[in-house]
Amino acid sequence: HPDDRMVVASALRAHLQRDIPYQLECRLRLKSGAWRWFFVAGMAQRDGHDKAYRMAGSMIDITARKQAELALQEANRAKDEFIATLAHELRNPLAPIRTGLELLRRDKANGLVGMVGGIGFLTTSVISGMLVAFGGMLAVMVLALVLPT
């Protein structure tokens, strides 16, 4: 693939010049013209003068894994966006409650200050916990849908 040429050339050069393992992921075109992702690993065979004369290695089609990774990244981005929107929407209705609680807290004559403040804290904690749990459950559901069984 044109976007992978520099990576492939750099990995090959590093292997041949500095004996760094030749392993990379790149896209290759099939006879049909379709592009597929492959994991490529190889090793140069060298002659008595340490000059490379042949490469031996293997290629494994990892297209399905790459597609699953892409779907997972997209789902993770959508989850983060949803949670951010949900958190924003929940904070807006809670703002007047918080303001009211602050006014009650300033009123020393009111005997319910401690109880009301505690209820407000618990409410906010429960909602925050639900958001965190929802994010974890969504990630597990996406993994279950994306990964092959």
Side-chain angles (χ1 to χ4, degrees):
H1 191 274
D3 293 343
D4 299 334
R5 284 185 181 153
M6 294 294 288
V7 173
V8 172
S10 176
L12 183 58
R13 193 171 21 262
H15 176 67
L16 294 175
Q17 293 174 354
R18 297 187 307 271
D19 208 26
I20 294 174
Y22 183 70
Q23 295 181 345
L24 62 115
E25 294 177 357
C26 64
R27 290 161 284 191
L28 299 173
R29 189 182 344 226
L30 303 179
K31 286 182 183 180
S32 66
W35 291 97
R36 306 275 302 175
W37 278 97
F38 287 88
F39 172 75
V40 181
M43 177 182 253
Q45 294 180 344
R46 299 179 183 273
D47 62 15
H49 302 291
D50 203 33
K51 183 177 177 180
Y53 67 92
R54 180 186 307 170
M55 286 285 289
S58 64
M59 297 189 310
I60 301 170
D61 188 337
I62 59 169
T63 304
R65 188 193 87 202
K66 285 292 195 176
Q67 291 169 340
E69 287 174 1
L70 186 61
L72 189 56
Q73 289 170 356
E74 178 59 28
N76 194 33
R77 186 203 57 75
K79 174 205 56 129
D80 290 346
E81 186 177 308
F82 173 76
I83 289 175
T85 301
L86 185 60
H88 175 73
E89 294 300 323
L90 286 175
R91 270 190 228 113
N92 284 344
L94 291 178
I97 295 172
R98 229 176 307 164
T99 302
L101 291 174
E102 185 59 34
L103 291 174
L104 285 175
R105 192 172 291 136
R106 291 180 189 168
D107 181 8
K108 301 294 182 194
N110 188 340
L112 296 174
V113 172
M115 188 172 86
V116 171
I119 290 171
F121 174 76
L122 285 175
T123 303
T124 307
S125 297
V126 167
I127 291 171
S128 295
M130 287 177 10
L131 288 172
V132 169
F134 177 77
M137 289 188 307
L138 181 63
V140 169
M141 289 180 352
V142 166
L143 280 173
L145 291 173
V146 170
L147 295 178
T149 56

